[in-house]
Amino acid sequence: RVNFEDGSVCSELTGGRVSLSGNSLSNVIAKFEYQKKNENVTVWDGRRWKRTTKTFDEGKEGEGGEEANRAEAELNVVSEKFKRRESQWRNFISTGENAQFPPEKNRYHLFVAYSSPWAHRTLIVLALKGLQDAISVTMVHPIWQKTRKDDAEDDHVGWIFGNENGEPLTSVNGFGGPFPPNFPGNEPDPVNDSFCIRDIYNLVDDTDGPFTVPLLWDLKGKTIVSNESSDIMRMMNSEFNDFATNADLDLYPESDRETIDQTNNWLYHTINDGVYRCGYAKCQDSYDLAIDSLTASFDLIETILQSQKYIAGNRLTEADIRLFATLFRFDEVYAIFFKTNTRSVENSPTILNYCREIYQMSSVADTCNMSQVKTHYYCSNPDLNEYSIIPLGMDFETTLKEPHNRGDLSNPEP
């Protein structure tokens, strides 16, 4: 029996897994491996699952020696190198009095990519809330290209718009394809007639970036509202209910916010961003630390979902949307491309049925495009896939269309 500072309790060790009581997961041991007098324990320290060696008979705790310290330091370097720069545009649409950005039908336009998990989460919220007739959307091309083709000294690559009259494309290193200048659903920029997303940022004198999607644009004020996916999700969840066909759905209920925030935190570090920390690791030890964290969290998710319907409780919340966007890409992309092959959704029955349930919710399938997801990852990162070969895969999206059994779990909350 292990007691944690937040009051949660680990009371059972079975086959390397733990049973939990208590709602908080901020300080939880996810895996135990018994070895004589010592136990190697993977612990959530608020930022990552962290391997420590605990000697119970002497009451000592250590970091695992010099090699572990070096690996930890290397992982920190990798994390910093590929750390997502904070979004610079954090305005908020609000129904409050004198709000700069009040909710209005057809005032805002969302630029997104089918392929980006961060953009995908905003699309799912828009679909679930029924805001398709209130907020217009444009999908960018899935393959990153040079955004200043005529400037040899400008090496920025990023999102471009589809162009049905354009020339066939390759990846930025000249291999792969030829790819069509627009895939189904990709469109030219209907607002500013821009070549790329970078151009839209430049229109409002943002020349530093990051030039990311999702990007929420104010058509009336001709400016960027936000490029932070979590903020955009919450704006669509709460501020557009007058125009939503499913206004009663609340993905961030006030009574559950502490639990949702804690769940978002460990999911982000170990799953959402954890796949990237595995994929961009530059040495074996740093990869091992990252994959251990991801694997422990994956097993924890499987365990949690066996006893409750959703990841933060028995009601659908934004935490499920964030998780689904990563799980949707896991088997076809991350397990191969980012070497996260210790686990798979296909071989995790509870997680698979959970994904099926969300995929089959109202209009969610319309936000999912595995073809463009795979095309983006395998053809926009020549450092990891020089020749832009796209693996055939097992048609995971078809698997998500099969019946699920999630209705068997009790769901007492609305």
Side-chain angles (χ1 to χ4, degrees):
R1 180 183 176 87
V2 181
N3 294 289
F4 301 104
E5 294 176 2
D6 60 4
S8 57
V9 176
C10 165
S11 58
E12 181 183 348
L13 303 177
T14 307
R17 290 186 178 174
V18 300
S19 296
L20 302 173
S21 64
N23 292 326
S24 176
L25 296 171
S26 59
N27 295 292
V28 62
I29 297 177
K31 184 173 63 175
F32 288 74
E33 296 173 356
Y34 182 73
Q35 293 180 349
K36 297 182 180 179
K37 294 182 180 179
N38 295 337
E39 291 204 12
N40 293 326
V41 184
T42 305
V43 183
W44 176 248
D45 69 356
R47 190 164 66 93
R48 64 166 72 83
W49 296 109
K50 186 174 181 181
R51 183 185 297 162
T52 67
T53 301
K54 184 171 289 187
T55 307
F56 289 93
D57 59 339
E58 297 179 1
K60 296 178 181 178
E61 186 171 330
E63 293 294 332
E66 238 176 89
E67 288 297 321
N69 286 334
R70 279 201 295 271
E72 179 75 9
E74 168 62 22
L75 184 57
N76 287 337
V77 170
V78 171
S79 296
E80 284 302 313
K81 182 174 181 181
F82 294 99
K83 183 179 180 181
R84 301 181 189 287
R85 292 171 59 187
E86 289 189 10
S87 301
Q88 301 302 307
W89 295 87
R90 300 293 296 270
N91 301 303
F92 207 89
I93 295 170
S94 172
T95 56
E97 188 176 357
N98 299 320
Q100 180 183 1
F101 299 100
E104 296 177 14
K105 188 175 182 179
N106 297 325
R107 173 169 173 171
Y108 301 99
H109 190 86
L110 186 64
F111 294 98
V112 288
Y114 277 126
S115 46
S116 163
W118 321 104
H120 191 188
R121 54 174 67 170
T122 65
L123 272 178
I124 294 174
V125 174
L126 185 146
L128 289 173
K129 292 290 292 188
L131 290 170
Q132 293 91 333
D133 292 333
I135 301 172
S136 52
V137 176
T138 296
M139 304 285 182
V140 296
H141 195 282
I143 304 176
W144 284 345
Q145 297 289 305
K146 283 197 66 174
T147 56
R148 296 292 181 266
K149 290 186 174 182
D150 297 330
D151 188 346
E153 296 182 359
D154 190 325
D155 59 1
H156 178 263
V157 297
W159 303 107
I160 66 167
F161 289 96
N163 179 3
E164 64 181 1
N165 298 316
E167 296 293 325
L169 303 174
T170 66
S171 60
V172 293
N173 66 349
F175 293 113
F179 303 108
N182 70 312
F183 286 78
N186 302 151
E187 302 168 348
D189 175 10
V191 178
N192 303 296
D193 196 29
S194 300
F195 167 71
C196 60
I197 287 292
R198 178 184 179 180
D199 289 343
I200 299 178
Y201 282 87
N202 290 173
L203 285 173
V204 290
D205 298 323
D206 184 346
T207 57
D208 296 326
F211 309 123
T212 57
V213 292
L215 173 64
L216 187 61
W217 179 262
D218 178 9
L219 295 167
K220 181 180 291 186
K222 302 186 186 309
T223 190
I224 297 171
V225 178
S226 178
N227 63 348
E228 172 52 54
S229 63
S230 60
D231 290 351
I232 296 172
M233 291 172 70
R234 291 180 182 176
M235 284 184 256
M236 292 192 296
N237 176 63
S238 63
E239 304 305 308
F240 286 86
N241 282 333
D242 286 346
F243 315 109
T245 61
N246 192 13
D248 290 338
L249 175 66
D250 187 356
L251 296 168
Y252 193 54
E254 189 169 353
S255 60
D256 297 335
R257 286 180 184 179
E258 182 178 359
T259 300
I260 294 169
D261 290 343
Q262 290 172 348
T263 304
N264 287 342
N265 183 40
W266 67 264
L267 284 177
Y268 172 79
H269 289 291
T270 64
I271 298 293
N272 304 139
D273 203 48
V275 294
Y276 290 90
R277 293 170 63 221
C278 292
Y280 288 105
K282 296 298 183 182
C283 78
Q284 188 65 47
D285 287 340
S286 62
Y287 166 78
D288 288 344
L289 283 172
I291 195 64
D292 281 353
S293 294
L294 183 144
T295 304
S297 280
F298 207 97
D299 286 347
L300 183 58
I301 292 166
E302 178 80 0
T303 299
I304 290 170
L305 293 176
Q306 288 170 2
S307 59
Q308 63 188 43
K309 194 162 187 184
Y310 300 109
I311 194 62
N314 280 314
R315 66 190 300 169
L316 181 75
T317 70
E318 66 170 42
D320 298 290
I321 309 308
R322 293 166 182 250
L323 176 57
F324 175 80
T326 297
L327 294 176
F328 177 71
R329 292 155 174 77
F330 199 90
D331 287 17
E332 294 271 26
V333 175
Y334 302 141
I336 304 167
F337 203 47
F338 287 168
K339 301 175 282 292
T340 62
N341 59 351
T342 56
R343 297 292 185 270
S344 72
V345 174
E346 187 85 41
N347 292 320
S348 304
T350 304
I351 292 177
L352 176 58
N353 276 295
Y354 166 80
C355 288
R356 284 172 173 158
E357 181 189 13
I358 295 176
Y359 180 86
Q360 293 170 29
M361 289 178 178
S362 176
S363 300
V364 170
D366 294 338
T367 72
C368 300
N369 189 315
M370 188 63 76
S371 174
Q372 291 198 35
V373 167
K374 292 170 65 173
T375 299
H376 166 68
Y377 280 95
Y378 291 111
C379 303
S380 297
N381 297 277
D383 288 348
L384 299 181
N385 189 26
E386 183 177 5
Y387 296 105
S388 296
I389 305 300
I390 304 173
L392 182 60
M394 299 289 288
D395 196 7
F396 178 71
E397 195 164 354
T398 294
T399 300
L400 293 181
K401 299 175 183 178
E402 297 176 6
H404 64 82
N405 63 359
R406 298 300 290 170
D408 296 342
L409 286 174
S410 61
N411 186 18
E413 300 178 46

